[in-house]
mmCIF file of all heavy atoms in Angstrom:
data_model
loop_
_atom_site.group_PDB
_atom_site.id
_atom_site.type_symbol
_atom_site.label_atom_id
_atom_site.label_comp_id
_atom_site.label_asym_id
_atom_site.label_seq_id
_atom_site.Cartn_x
_atom_site.Cartn_y
_atom_site.Cartn_z
ATOM 1 N N ALA A 90 -0.316 17.152 11.853
ATOM 2 C CA ALA A 90 -1.266 16.038 11.760
ATOM 3 C C ALA A 90 -1.060 15.229 10.488
ATOM 4 O O ALA A 90 -1.259 14.016 10.475
ATOM 5 C CB ALA A 90 -2.693 16.564 11.832
ATOM 6 N N ARG A 91 -0.648 15.907 9.425
ATOM 7 C CA ARG A 91 -0.384 15.188 8.170
ATOM 8 C C ARG A 91 0.806 14.251 8.320
ATOM 9 O O ARG A 91 0.844 13.172 7.714
ATOM 10 C CB ARG A 91 -0.115 16.176 7.040
ATOM 11 C CG ARG A 91 -1.317 16.974 6.600
ATOM 12 C CD ARG A 91 -1.076 17.664 5.269
ATOM 13 N NE ARG A 91 -0.001 18.645 5.339
ATOM 14 C CZ ARG A 91 -0.183 19.929 5.627
ATOM 15 N NH1 ARG A 91 -1.396 20.377 5.893
ATOM 16 N NH2 ARG A 91 0.830 20.761 5.651
ATOM 17 N N LEU A 92 1.793 14.671 9.121
ATOM 18 C CA LEU A 92 3.020 13.897 9.259
ATOM 19 C C LEU A 92 2.925 12.809 10.326
ATOM 20 O O LEU A 92 3.656 11.818 10.263
ATOM 21 C CB LEU A 92 4.176 14.842 9.619
ATOM 22 C CG LEU A 92 4.496 15.953 8.613
ATOM 23 C CD1 LEU A 92 5.536 16.888 9.200
ATOM 24 C CD2 LEU A 92 4.975 15.351 7.301
ATOM 25 N N ALA A 93 2.044 13.008 11.304
ATOM 26 C CA ALA A 93 2.050 12.162 12.498
ATOM 27 C C ALA A 93 1.069 11.002 12.454
ATOM 28 O O ALA A 93 1.033 10.200 13.393
ATOM 29 C CB ALA A 93 1.749 13.024 13.727
ATOM 30 N N THR A 94 0.260 10.899 11.392
ATOM 31 C CA THR A 94 -0.802 9.896 11.372
ATOM 32 C C THR A 94 -0.735 9.015 10.127
ATOM 33 O O THR A 94 -0.247 9.426 9.072
ATOM 34 C CB THR A 94 -2.180 10.578 11.394
ATOM 35 O OG1 THR A 94 -2.298 11.447 10.252
ATOM 36 C CG2 THR A 94 -2.387 11.383 12.664
ATOM 37 N N LYS A 95 -1.246 7.828 10.269
ATOM 38 C CA LYS A 95 -1.386 6.919 9.127
ATOM 39 C C LYS A 95 -2.284 7.549 8.066
ATOM 40 O O LYS A 95 -1.976 7.505 6.869
ATOM 41 C CB LYS A 95 -1.967 5.590 9.601
ATOM 42 C CG LYS A 95 -2.224 4.561 8.504
ATOM 43 C CD LYS A 95 -2.720 3.262 9.124
ATOM 44 C CE LYS A 95 -2.949 2.181 8.073
ATOM 45 N NZ LYS A 95 -4.146 2.478 7.227
ATOM 46 N N ALA A 96 -3.397 8.142 8.536
ATOM 47 C CA ALA A 96 -4.314 8.774 7.589
ATOM 48 C C ALA A 96 -3.617 9.863 6.798
ATOM 49 O O ALA A 96 -3.793 9.978 5.582
ATOM 50 C CB ALA A 96 -5.515 9.347 8.347
ATOM 51 N N GLY A 97 -2.809 10.681 7.475
ATOM 52 C CA GLY A 97 -2.119 11.763 6.800
ATOM 53 C C GLY A 97 -1.135 11.278 5.759
ATOM 54 O O GLY A 97 -1.046 11.826 4.663
ATOM 55 N N THR A 98 -0.410 10.222 6.089
ATOM 56 C CA THR A 98 0.576 9.695 5.133
ATOM 57 C C THR A 98 -0.106 9.046 3.933
ATOM 58 O O THR A 98 0.511 8.909 2.871
ATOM 59 C CB THR A 98 1.501 8.663 5.804
ATOM 60 O OG1 THR A 98 0.720 7.563 6.296
ATOM 61 C CG2 THR A 98 2.270 9.303 6.957
ATOM 62 N N GLU A 99 -1.375 8.676 4.092
ATOM 63 C CA GLU A 99 -2.133 8.090 2.989
ATOM 64 C C GLU A 99 -2.922 9.141 2.215
ATOM 65 O O GLU A 99 -3.715 8.810 1.341
ATOM 66 C CB GLU A 99 -3.092 7.026 3.529
ATOM 67 C CG GLU A 99 -2.362 5.807 4.089
ATOM 68 C CD GLU A 99 -3.292 4.801 4.765
ATOM 69 O OE1 GLU A 99 -4.483 5.141 5.005
ATOM 70 O OE2 GLU A 99 -2.836 3.676 5.036
ATOM 71 N N GLY A 100 -2.685 10.409 2.537
ATOM 72 C CA GLY A 100 -3.313 11.489 1.793
ATOM 73 C C GLY A 100 -4.659 11.935 2.318
ATOM 74 O O GLY A 100 -5.317 12.774 1.707
ATOM 75 N N ARG A 101 -5.080 11.373 3.443
ATOM 76 C CA ARG A 101 -6.362 11.775 4.040
ATOM 77 C C ARG A 101 -6.072 12.818 5.113
ATOM 78 O O ARG A 101 -5.863 12.484 6.272
ATOM 79 C CB ARG A 101 -7.083 10.554 4.615
ATOM 80 C CG ARG A 101 -7.561 9.583 3.539
ATOM 81 C CD ARG A 101 -8.098 8.308 4.144
ATOM 82 N NE ARG A 101 -7.012 7.471 4.676
ATOM 83 C CZ ARG A 101 -7.166 6.601 5.671
ATOM 84 N NH1 ARG A 101 -8.336 6.473 6.270
ATOM 85 N NH2 ARG A 101 -6.150 5.855 6.072
ATOM 86 N N GLU A 102 -6.042 14.051 4.697
ATOM 87 C CA GLU A 102 -5.571 15.118 5.565
ATOM 88 C C GLU A 102 -6.634 15.566 6.562
ATOM 89 O O GLU A 102 -7.832 15.439 6.325
ATOM 90 C CB GLU A 102 -5.101 16.298 4.719
ATOM 91 C CG GLU A 102 -3.901 15.950 3.840
ATOM 92 C CD GLU A 102 -3.344 17.156 3.116
ATOM 93 O OE1 GLU A 102 -3.941 18.246 3.217
ATOM 94 O OE2 GLU A 102 -2.293 17.007 2.451
ATOM 95 N N PHE A 103 -6.164 16.107 7.665
ATOM 96 C CA PHE A 103 -7.034 16.614 8.723
ATOM 97 C C PHE A 103 -7.198 18.118 8.585
ATOM 98 O O PHE A 103 -6.289 18.825 8.151
ATOM 99 C CB PHE A 103 -6.438 16.295 10.093
ATOM 100 C CG PHE A 103 -6.432 14.836 10.432
ATOM 101 C CD1 PHE A 103 -5.389 14.016 9.992
ATOM 102 C CD2 PHE A 103 -7.459 14.267 11.171
ATOM 103 C CE1 PHE A 103 -5.373 12.667 10.299
ATOM 104 C CE2 PHE A 103 -7.447 12.925 11.487
ATOM 105 C CZ PHE A 103 -6.403 12.115 11.045
ATOM 106 N N THR A 104 -8.360 18.600 8.977
ATOM 107 C CA THR A 104 -8.624 20.031 9.028
ATOM 108 C C THR A 104 -8.879 20.419 10.475
ATOM 109 O O THR A 104 -9.710 19.801 11.155
ATOM 110 C CB THR A 104 -9.851 20.407 8.178
ATOM 111 O OG1 THR A 104 -9.604 20.036 6.817
ATOM 112 C CG2 THR A 104 -10.117 21.908 8.255
ATOM 113 N N ILE A 105 -8.149 21.420 10.955
ATOM 114 C CA ILE A 105 -8.362 21.938 12.302
ATOM 115 C C ILE A 105 -9.232 23.186 12.176
ATOM 116 O O ILE A 105 -8.801 24.193 11.624
ATOM 117 C CB ILE A 105 -7.033 22.298 12.999
ATOM 118 C CG1 ILE A 105 -6.005 21.177 12.830
ATOM 119 C CG2 ILE A 105 -7.289 22.611 14.473
ATOM 120 C CD1 ILE A 105 -6.431 19.827 13.369
ATOM 121 N N HIS A 106 -10.452 23.092 12.654
ATOM 122 C CA HIS A 106 -11.392 24.200 12.572
ATOM 123 C C HIS A 106 -11.287 25.037 13.845
ATOM 124 O O HIS A 106 -11.419 24.513 14.954
ATOM 125 C CB HIS A 106 -12.828 23.695 12.440
ATOM 126 C CG HIS A 106 -13.063 22.811 11.249
ATOM 127 N ND1 HIS A 106 -13.593 23.290 10.066
ATOM 128 C CD2 HIS A 106 -12.842 21.477 11.069
ATOM 129 C CE1 HIS A 106 -13.695 22.278 9.203
ATOM 130 N NE2 HIS A 106 -13.240 21.183 9.784
ATOM 131 N N ALA A 107 -11.074 26.324 13.685
ATOM 132 C CA ALA A 107 -11.029 27.256 14.817
ATOM 133 C C ALA A 107 -11.968 28.414 14.490
ATOM 134 O O ALA A 107 -11.532 29.526 14.204
ATOM 135 C CB ALA A 107 -9.602 27.745 15.067
ATOM 136 N N PRO A 108 -13.289 28.164 14.523
ATOM 137 C CA PRO A 108 -14.255 29.149 14.025
ATOM 138 C C PRO A 108 -14.329 30.431 14.841
ATOM 139 O O PRO A 108 -14.870 31.430 14.360
ATOM 140 C CB PRO A 108 -15.588 28.393 14.066
ATOM 141 C CG PRO A 108 -15.391 27.323 15.100
ATOM 142 C CD PRO A 108 -13.954 26.923 14.975
ATOM 143 N N LEU A 109 -13.792 30.424 16.065
ATOM 144 C CA LEU A 109 -13.837 31.621 16.900
ATOM 145 C C LEU A 109 -12.519 32.399 16.858
ATOM 146 O O LEU A 109 -12.366 33.398 17.558
ATOM 147 C CB LEU A 109 -14.125 31.249 18.362
ATOM 148 C CG LEU A 109 -15.247 30.259 18.639
ATOM 149 C CD1 LEU A 109 -15.480 30.144 20.137
ATOM 150 C CD2 LEU A 109 -16.521 30.627 17.915
ATOM 151 N N GLN A 110 -11.592 31.938 16.027
ATOM 152 C CA GLN A 110 -10.219 32.451 16.043
ATOM 153 C C GLN A 110 -10.145 33.971 16.001
ATOM 154 O O GLN A 110 -9.376 34.598 16.726
ATOM 155 C CB GLN A 110 -9.452 31.871 14.855
ATOM 156 C CG GLN A 110 -7.984 32.235 14.809
ATOM 157 C CD GLN A 110 -7.128 31.396 15.727
ATOM 158 O OE1 GLN A 110 -6.819 30.281 15.414
ATOM 159 N NE2 GLN A 110 -6.773 31.930 16.869
ATOM 160 N N HIS A 111 -10.943 34.583 15.148
ATOM 161 C CA HIS A 111 -10.844 36.028 14.957
ATOM 162 C C HIS A 111 -12.075 36.768 15.481
ATOM 163 O O HIS A 111 -12.351 37.894 15.047
ATOM 164 C CB HIS A 111 -10.604 36.341 13.476
ATOM 165 C CG HIS A 111 -9.359 35.694 12.942
ATOM 166 N ND1 HIS A 111 -8.097 36.061 13.368
ATOM 167 C CD2 HIS A 111 -9.184 34.675 12.059
ATOM 168 C CE1 HIS A 111 -7.190 35.313 12.745
ATOM 169 N NE2 HIS A 111 -7.822 34.467 11.962
ATOM 170 N N MET A 112 -12.781 36.162 16.412
ATOM 171 C CA MET A 112 -13.933 36.819 17.039
ATOM 172 C C MET A 112 -13.519 37.492 18.341
ATOM 173 O O MET A 112 -12.624 37.017 19.039
ATOM 174 C CB MET A 112 -15.028 35.797 17.360
ATOM 175 C CG MET A 112 -15.740 35.206 16.171
ATOM 176 S SD MET A 112 -17.120 34.157 16.735
ATOM 177 C CE MET A 112 -17.666 33.467 15.179
ATOM 178 N N THR A 113 -14.191 38.576 18.666
ATOM 179 C CA THR A 113 -14.059 39.156 19.995
ATOM 180 C C THR A 113 -14.977 38.381 20.945
ATOM 181 O O THR A 113 -15.833 37.601 20.504
ATOM 182 C CB THR A 113 -14.467 40.635 20.005
ATOM 183 O OG1 THR A 113 -15.867 40.723 19.695
ATOM 184 C CG2 THR A 113 -13.662 41.433 18.978
#
């Protein structure tokens, strides 16, 4: 996402939240 977007190239990085990642 940092490489593929205008925002990313301008230093406005994206966060991918996966809050259930390690839940059963």
